Amino acid sequence: MAAMPRLLTTTGLLFSLAVVTSGCTGGSQPSASTPAPTGAEAPPAEDAQPAATAAAPAKPRERNEVWTDEKGQKWFGNVPMDAFFDQPYEVASNATAIGGPNGAAPAAAMGEQTTAQQPAEAVAATTPATEPATPAQPSPDTPAPAAAAGGDSWDQLLPLADLDEEIKSIRNFLQETVSSVGNYNSSMMMIPPKVATLAALAEVARQRQESVSWKEDAAWVRDLAKKMNESPLQRGPKDQKRLQELFEGVSDIFNRSKPAGLEEPPAEDSFAESAELRSLMKRMEEAEKTLKTEIGSADALASKKTMAQHEAAILAVLAKIATDKGYGYDDDEFRGYGNAVVEAAQAIRTSTEGGDFSGFEAAMSKVATSCQNCHSKYKND
């Protein structure tokens, strides 16, 4: 008797499931106001029966009758028994979400398209536009990049015509001076500044972008001039003969007939190794003195324009050479004085070209002030 309630409960559960299943697959018609599904979603015709139902025998069965057909298929009324769970209570008590432990159903199971499956137009329409990145602002403590210095290349400081003119002047001077012992003795003190300038300008010619006819031999000119000043000059024929031989080699190079057997010069030789700074300063002083004494009026500036521009160019290029760190004055203050002279010399050329005598005087004053301040601090170093 104790098994009777369990049997009744099981029978009742099976009956309820059969009713629900019959309601899902039965012949109830959709309302006339409900739009008829189309395509693949259209329901089977009213008189269509499930395949399993079609396989049932024609003999009518009771709704809650359990029976077996000739193929061994068990039925509960008109519903096959394999439509029911083996353990209905366990299935009913399982509360696990269909989509997994997090309760999120996969997009494909929900009939949604992933981004990869969506058309490009749909993705573009739903994807927010990327905001342009804000350019990084420089820190207030970061200095702005220094602008490249302009107008102070060798070609700009010393035009080719002025380079040729200075070389010609030095050659003429040396040709006359070393030709005899008497001439040498009388002009001996003037030789070192001329020779140092020759060595420095030979290196400038080697570094220039605009070529000179003797550029490929400029290192030999620089080296021969360096040797002419390698020791203090002494009066008499010994140094006169030595300088004469060296100068003949320089002249042959300028005449495009380099002597055979010349010692190979160093591939790289700094200005400081080729020309003594003190001797270059004497040539700078000469240029300043010439400009000051020869150009005393607007008329003189106009009539001696070429000479003024030449001396200003020599002043500018030698002032720049003087700032070479090889001379041992590798500090900002010294370079500041040198750069001030370079700028003033360029201003002299500009004012001379435009006939601006007031500008010429202002530039000359800047040269004098810069040189005086520099000498007061560095002359005895």
Side-chain angles (χ1 to χ4, degrees):
M1 296 298 291
M4 183 61 70
R6 181 181 301 176
L7 177 60
L8 292 176
T9 302
T10 302
T11 303
L13 177 61
L14 293 175
F15 176 75
S16 299
L17 291 173
V19 172
V20 173
T21 305
S22 176
C24 293
T25 61
S28 59
Q29 299 296 326
S31 171
S33 61
T34 303
T38 60
E41 298 179 358
E46 181 179 358
D47 56 351
Q49 297 294 330
T53 304
K59 177 183 176 180
R61 298 290 181 178
E62 297 295 333
R63 177 172 294 181
N64 58 351
E65 179 182 359
V66 179
W67 56 279
T68 303
D69 62 15
E70 64 275 10
K71 296 181 180 180
Q73 173 69 49
K74 288 187 177 183
W75 295 79
F76 183 77
N78 291 332
V79 180
M81 289 295 291
D82 54 11
F84 303 102
F85 295 108
D86 293 336
Q87 302 293 333
Y89 291 107
E90 293 182 8
V91 174
S93 62
N94 188 350
T96 303
I98 296 176
N102 295 329
M110 300 299 292
E112 299 177 358
Q113 289 179 308
T114 63
T115 302
Q117 295 170 325
Q118 295 179 14
E121 295 81 356
V123 174
T126 58
T127 303
T130 303
E131 296 183 1
T134 303
Q137 298 296 327
S139 170
D141 297 332
T142 303
D152 63 348
S153 69
W154 298 127
D155 295 59
Q156 292 168 316
L157 290 179
L158 186 64
L160 184 57
D162 291 301
L163 173 62
D164 288 340
E165 179 63 26
E166 186 69 10
I167 294 294
K168 179 181 178 181
S169 174
I170 295 172
R171 288 181 63 187
N172 289 339
F173 169 81
L174 291 176
Q175 178 73 42
E176 179 68 21
T177 301
V178 301
S179 62
S180 66
V181 176
N183 290 344
Y184 165 77
N185 287 340
S186 62
S187 303
M188 184 183 67
M189 300 303 295
M190 299 173 61
I191 294 175
K194 298 287 187 181
V195 173
T197 301
L198 176 62
L201 294 186
E203 179 61 19
V204 169
R206 195 183 70 83
Q207 295 184 19
R208 282 175 59 92
Q209 293 183 355
E210 185 180 3
S211 181
V212 295
S213 60
W214 47 278
K215 182 175 182 177
E216 62 182 15
D217 295 326
W220 274 273
V221 174
R222 179 200 65 204
D223 196 52
L224 290 171
K226 172 184 175 180
K227 290 178 179 179
M228 293 174 75
N229 263 349
E230 65 183 1
S231 61
L233 297 179
Q234 302 293 329
R235 294 173 62 86
K238 182 179 180 180
D239 276 347
Q240 180 264 328
K241 289 293 184 182
R242 181 177 68 84
L243 293 185
Q244 187 177 37
E245 291 177 1
L246 292 171
F247 175 70
E248 287 175 353
V250 171
S251 294
D252 289 342
I253 291 174
F254 284 129
N255 293 331
R256 311 306 300 133
S257 179
K258 184 175 65 176
L262 284 179
E263 182 181 353
E264 190 75 18
E268 297 290 338
D269 220 352
S270 69
F271 289 107
E273 293 171 315
S274 304
E276 183 188 28
L277 181 58
R278 182 177 302 178
S279 295
L280 295 180
M281 290 287 187
K282 289 186 178 296
R283 178 63 182 96
M284 292 174 64
E285 291 174 4
E286 179 187 340
E288 181 189 4
K289 182 179 179 180
T290 300
L291 289 169
K292 185 176 180 179
T293 57
E294 296 291 333
I295 311 296
S297 65
D299 291 341
L301 182 65
S303 62
K304 299 180 180 180
K305 173 181 174 180
T306 302
M307 180 274 293
Q309 289 190 325
H310 175 77
E311 293 300 319
I314 296 301
L315 183 60
V317 74
L318 294 184
K320 181 177 180 179
I321 291 173
T323 62
D324 185 275
K325 62 182 180 180
Y327 287 111
Y329 299 104
D330 189 18
D331 63 86
D332 292 339
E333 185 175 2
F334 184 84
R335 281 192 296 271
Y337 290 134
N339 291 336
V341 175
V342 172
E343 293 172 0
Q346 290 178 300
I348 291 173
R349 287 182 61 87
T350 301
S351 58
T352 301
E353 182 66 30
D356 180 10
F357 184 67
S358 296
F360 172 84
E361 287 186 311
M364 285 294 297
S365 177
K366 184 176 181 180
V367 170
T369 301
S370 299
C371 290
Q372 182 179 356
N373 292 338
C374 182
H375 292 168
S376 65
K377 181 170 183 178
Y378 295 99
K379 190 172 184 178
N380 295 325
D381 290 353

